[in-house]
Every structure is written in structure tokens, then in C-alpha cells.
Amino acid sequence: MKKILLIVLSIIILGCKNDKKEDGKAEILNIVTTTSMITDLVKNIGGDMVNVQGLMGAGVDPHLYKASEGDVSKLFNADVIFYNGLHLEGKLVEVFEKMEGKKETVALGEFLPKDQLIGSEYFASNYDPHVWFNIEFFKKFAIEVTRVLSEKDPKNASQYAANEKAYLIKLDVLQAEVKNTIAKLPEEKRILVTAHDAFNYFGKAYGFNVVGLQGLSTATEAGVQDVQKLSNFIIDNKVKAIFIESSVPRRTIEALQAAVLSKNHEVTIGGSLYSDALGDAGSIEGTYLGMFRYNVSVIVNALK
Ligand code: ZN
């Protein structure tokens, strides 16, 4: 009898222990992120101290992305939500606004110095939201993520700070490498024609003239007139290559190439760039660092 009682007691105690672990909200932070760039960043800073769920995978266009029912429940169960903001996630703005005050929502783009942002009449934010293409801005994202995680989970603050330090060094190494590679491309060849205007911050940082066929958001379609105008620009400036983007259908850039060819000039498709989403999770281009290196090598090789 005593033995049975002991077994029953130990089952109850063990059971309770397990419950606590599974419930474990206080033990591990549940983070929800939007774009794959932000997902990668939070994983770098949070390591195995946080559980990160990214809503948008490879090839997903954040301008057009709508929250599914599953996403809404992920968002409501999150301890912190990190997103780009500046109206990049155009169709999620309402969802985030509803959660303000009830949830810790962090729009990383809102912490950047406004006088350094590129203005835009298109977005309700009045700024171009593609800020991650400025490595210095992405460093500011990293600092902000570290601050929020440390506040929410102070017992792991020193580990978050160590991860932050290591990641900022990697971003500095990336910056030096990118500058070095682009320095080999003559300035007059630094013209970047892509499917939509995601690369304005990249252009500003490294001296490229950037032209996007669809404007700043993929929500607007390119018209026939845009294609004609841009094909003349390509011919006049002897642009060797134009680029498709992994998160935008390739037909617009193919139409542009056809327009140039029809005028008896040549332009190649220089490759596919990662603009508003990283590559497949688990691949080198599935990280911010790998994506940046890949883009720069594709651009420089095609235009040199
Ligand atoms: Zn975009």
C-alpha cells in the first residue's frame, strides 16, 4: 500500500513538473517576426533563449502579405512582435494597430533617425521602408532587438549582449567586404535596374543610380509607358544587365528586356536578387549576411 502511494505521489509531482515546463511562458520568450530579415536577426540575438516564429518565408512579398487565421493566433500568443514598420507590411498595419497597448509590438524602422531616411510620397509613413539595405540601419535594428529582449528577459541580458556584440562585428566585416567589392565596379556602371524600388538605401550607401520598374511597392503594376521609358533609359546609359527579384514575379523584367531587344539593343538579365525576403531557410542566402554577399556579387559580376 505504501509503495502504491509513493508511486502515485511521484506521478503527481513529476506531472506537475512537466506541466510547468510546457506552460513555461516565463522561461522562454515567444517572439513573432514578419520578414525573414527580421526573423534571422532575432534568432542571432536571441539564440536558444527565445522561440522565434517568422510569418514570411522565402519569396514572400511583405507589401501584399495578409495575415492568415493561424498568423493572428500566433500574434496573440506572442510575448513580443518585431516588424519592419514604415508601412512595409502594408496589409498588416491594421492588425498591429489593434494589438497596440495589449501586446509588445516593436516596429524597428520607427527607431531610425528620420532625417537619414529616404522620403516617399507613396507610403503612408512618408518614408521608403526598405531600410535593411543600409547595413548601419540593420545594426540599429540589432541594438533595438537586444534592448527589448533584455528588458523582457533580464536574467539572460548578458547573453543577449554577448550575441549582439558578436553579430555587430559580423555586420562590420560585411560592410568592409561590400565596400571593397563595389569599389572594383567603375562609378559609371553603377546603375541598378530591378523589378521594384527596393534598393534605394543600397544605392545611396554605395553610389548606385537605382531604378525600379514598379515603383516603391509591388502593389502598383508597371504600365506600358513605364516599360518604354525605362527601356530608353537602359539604351541611353548602356546598361548591360537588369535584375529580377526573388519576391516579385519575373514577367515585368522580362517585358522590359523584350522592349530593349525590340529596339535592337542588348541587355541581359543579370540574375535574381533577394529584395524583400531572404533565400530558403537553412541556405546561405537564407541569412541576412549571406543574402547581402550574394546580391553584391551578382550585381558586380553582371555590371562590370
Ligand atoms: Zn519592397
Side-chain angles (χ1 to χ4, degrees), residues 111-113 116 135-145:
F111 292 92
L112 298 172
Q116 291 177 32
I135 295 173
E136 300 308 318
F137 288 168
F138 205 66
K139 282 168 70 177
K140 290 197 163 66
F141 274 25
I143 292 165
E144 193 53 32
V145 167

Side-chain angles (χ1 to χ4, degrees), residues 56 60-69 71 91-92 95:
M56 303 173 194
V60 173
D61 181 342
H63 301 291
L64 305 178
Y65 188 86
K66 288 188 185 130
S68 67
E69 266 180 50
D71 291 344
K91 315 262 179 202
L92 296 182
V95 181

Side-chain angles (χ1 to χ4, degrees), residues 165-210:
K165 194 176 170 201
Y167 194 61
L168 290 178
I169 290 171
K170 286 180 185 172
L171 290 173
D172 282 337
V173 170
L174 174 72
Q175 180 70 287
E177 255 181 64
V178 167
K179 280 185 180 164
N180 202 24
T181 308
I182 290 174
K184 292 171 191 151
L185 189 67
E187 270 170 41
E188 70 275 12
K189 291 190 173 179
R190 292 186 202 171
I191 300 174
L192 188 57
V193 180
T194 61
H196 89 298
D197 264 345
F199 293 94
N200 288 321
Y201 290 99
F202 179 91
K204 200 177 171 191
Y206 308 109
F208 279 80
N209 182 2
V210 175

Side-chain angles (χ1 to χ4, degrees), residues 55 65-77:
L55 299 183
Y65 188 86
K66 288 188 185 130
S68 67
E69 266 180 50
D71 291 344
V72 173
S73 81
K74 278 180 199 164
L75 290 165
F76 270 103
N77 288 321

